[in-house]
Amino acid sequence: MSQNKRPNIGERSPSLKAVPFFTQLSEGEIELVRSLAAEKHYPKNAVVLTEGEMGDSLYMITSGKVKVFIGDQEGREMILKILGPGDFFGEMSMIDKQPRSASVTTLESSVFLVLSHASFEKCVEKIPRIANMVMRVLATRVREADRKIGTLAMMDVYGRVASTLLELAVNDNGKMVVGEKLSQQDLANMVGASREMVNRILKDLADRGFISVESKSITIINHELPPSL
Ligand code: CMP
């Protein structure tokens, strides 16, 4: 369940300037976006959007993390993307007025700035380059989706796990680390395999010295992860 909050000027946080996406906007432009948006707070594991439902709002993540996934009737899910601060979602239905293409749930407690279609249009009217910023993100997403289709079609599960780890890893003091919020089940749902299979592959990669698996993270030791067994 979310808590709606339209912040008043006094409590607006200057920290948004540190969030990617907003770094491209001036303080005045951030203020404008905030004045047109509703701030919503969600706890961990909350459903934000449901695939197939109608909706026309765009969600900008100011803090927290979400997973974007599609599901089937047996309850299986395929994770399309993990998004964090500075990312946005919900733009597709906002733009084409079709049902939501995927579901979105929080992986940790999260705060969003939510813009209705009408508010987004006002933003674009006042800050036209926002439309370009959104288009660039959409182009990047299509590229990533193309890569993912290639990976799913052409690699075995071993290669898919390896390439997903490389895609998710972020530099943490010189080490490439896949962070704590991702469970082995989440990883399995990203590569279209069972948790048991992913567990075996992670163990094999660790035994061969390519990665080290800690309780809440995975460190990539050798970037030349093998594409197959
Ligand atoms: P919308 O279809 O409105 O609701 C679900 C949202 O998930 C969608 O907009 C996008 O914002 C997001 N989404 C869908 N597919 C992907 C993807 N492949 N990568 C990242 N985000 C996605």
Side-chain angles (χ1 to χ4, degrees):
M1 196 175 296
S2 79
Q3 197 191 337
N4 282 347
K5 212 176 163 209
R6 193 180 282 276
N8 55 42
I9 297 279
E11 63 181 64
R12 280 174 195 162
S13 144
S15 64
L16 265 192
K17 196 73 187 113
V19 176
F21 193 84
F22 292 101
T23 49
Q24 304 168 60
L25 301 177
S26 69
E27 292 287 353
E29 288 169 335
I30 291 174
E31 275 302 297
L32 179 81
V33 173
R34 293 199 73 137
S35 70
L36 291 167
E39 189 173 274
K40 288 195 183 184
H41 295 239
Y42 284 77
K44 184 178 173 179
N45 293 331
V47 177
V48 187
L49 299 183
T50 304
E51 183 183 351
E53 286 189 352
M54 296 305 290
D56 79 341
S57 298
L58 168 100
Y59 292 68
M60 307 175 106
I61 306 175
T62 59
S63 66
K65 203 171 270 184
V66 302
K67 67 175 175 183
V68 179
F69 63 98
I70 45 178
D72 67 9
Q73 281 171 346
E74 275 90 58
R76 288 176 303 194
E77 62 180 52
M78 173 92 197
I79 298 181
L80 302 173
K81 188 79 183 162
I82 307 283
L83 301 173
D87 292 326
F88 56 79
F89 57 90
E91 77 292 344
M92 290 168 65
S93 299
M94 188 196 69
I95 292 168
D96 68 7
K97 300 204 163 68
Q98 295 297 304
R100 298 294 188 190
S101 61
S103 298
V104 178
T105 61
T106 54
L107 292 172
E108 52 189 74
S109 68
S110 303
V111 180
F112 310 121
L113 284 182
V114 185
L115 283 169
S116 65
H117 180 83
S119 302
F120 180 75
E121 294 217 313
K122 271 188 210 147
C123 276
V124 172
E125 216 173 275
K126 307 262 186 214
I127 317 167
R129 73 181 192 290
I130 280 205
N132 269 331
M133 288 158 66
V134 171
M135 278 195 293
R136 267 203 301 279
V137 173
L138 288 178
T140 304
R141 283 195 186 153
V142 175
R143 281 178 196 283
E144 287 175 358
D146 286 352
R147 265 203 303 278
K148 190 153 196 159
I149 292 167
T151 308
L152 286 172
M154 291 181 264
M155 285 185 171
D156 62 14
V157 183
Y158 204 94
R160 296 198 314 251
V161 170
S163 76
T164 303
L165 289 178
L166 288 173
E167 190 188 312
L168 292 171
V170 292
N171 194 323
D172 180 7
N173 288 324
K175 286 186 187 169
M176 292 307 282
V177 177
V178 180
E180 55 183 284
K181 302 294 175 196
L182 205 68
S183 67
Q184 287 191 4
Q185 185 63 58
D186 288 331
L187 195 53
N189 293 346
M190 294 182 91
V191 299
S194 67
R195 194 192 59 77
E196 292 74 16
M197 172 77 98
V198 167
N199 181 277
R200 274 202 298 278
I201 292 170
L202 291 178
K203 190 168 177 322
D204 184 73
L205 286 170
D207 289 346
R208 295 165 73 190
F210 287 102
I211 61 172
S212 79
V213 181
E214 291 88 39
S215 65
K216 288 187 168 172
S217 64
I218 297 170
T219 303
I220 303 200
I221 297 166
N222 179 346
H223 290 215
E224 302 295 318
L225 293 185
S228 60
L229 265 177

